[in-house]
Amino acid sequence: MRAGSRPLQTELIFPVRTYDIDFAGLLSNIVYIRWLEDLRVRMLEVHHPLEPMLARGEGPVLARTEIDYLRPVRFGARVRGVMWISGCRRARFDLEAVFDLDDEPVARARQQGYFVNYGKMKILPVPQELLSKIRGQTM
């Protein structure tokens, strides 16, 4: 991938709700996992819908998630989440995300995943249509 490129960049705004707050009055770390899922699902909705894959018994699975928590976030904040493809091999995709508040990062995340046949739990190549979109945005 070209340095600085952000193929399939997806952005969502996340309001911090009462149920997102932990006992210390801060955004619970687990909320970022849910927000990463929301970003990934939105990315697929726009660029490679899940329904046809699921009908064939195929779809994405995650193998790894890393999050760096940089600053605390409190109730009432509106956090911007941005996710993009940071790498793609024949069978593996790499994602990066940043969450910011008032243009200051509050968390950064990295994920690795694969597409699989759910019945056989066999790894599949990244779908060609998706690969073409990724490559088309990095040239």
Side-chain angles (χ1 to χ4, degrees):
M1 306 248 149
R2 190 179 60 198
S5 71
R6 290 185 168 185
L8 310 190
Q9 180 172 310
T10 302
E11 181 177 324
L12 293 172
I13 302 297
F14 299 101
V16 178
R17 311 273 188 204
T18 54
Y19 52 80
D20 295 329
I21 300 302
D22 65 15
F23 68 92
L26 302 174
L27 181 67
S28 176
N29 290 351
I30 196 68
V31 173
Y32 288 102
I33 300 293
R34 187 178 77 236
W35 289 353
L36 287 167
E37 185 73 14
D38 290 341
L39 283 164
R40 237 180 11 267
V41 167
R42 180 65 182 147
M43 182 185 289
L44 287 170
E45 284 174 348
V46 171
H47 298 286
H48 195 74
L50 279 170
E51 290 80 9
M53 286 188 294
L54 294 175
R56 294 188 306 270
E58 301 171 358
V61 296
L62 285 177
R64 180 180 183 93
T65 298
E66 295 177 38
I67 303 177
D68 299 316
Y69 304 102
L70 306 172
R71 288 186 31 221
V73 175
R74 298 192 182 277
F75 171 73
R78 294 178 56 82
V79 176
R80 180 176 73 117
V82 181
M83 177 179 275
W84 63 95
I85 301 286
S86 60
C88 194
R89 296 181 174 88
R90 182 181 178 279
R92 187 178 98 195
F93 60 89
D94 300 317
L95 302 166
E96 285 190 38
V98 64
F99 296 94
D100 62 49
L101 178 61
D102 301 324
D103 294 322
E104 291 289 326
V106 295
R108 292 189 202 309
R110 291 152 305 283
Q111 295 185 308
Q112 291 178 349
Y114 299 88
F115 286 90
V116 299
N117 176 295
Y118 291 131
K120 299 176 184 174
M121 289 314 289
K122 179 183 173 190
I123 293 175
L124 302 170
V126 172
Q128 187 59 46
E129 177 186 322
L130 188 57
L131 198 55
S132 295
K133 285 184 178 185
I134 293 166
R135 289 181 177 156
Q137 290 188 12
T138 59
M139 299 187 142

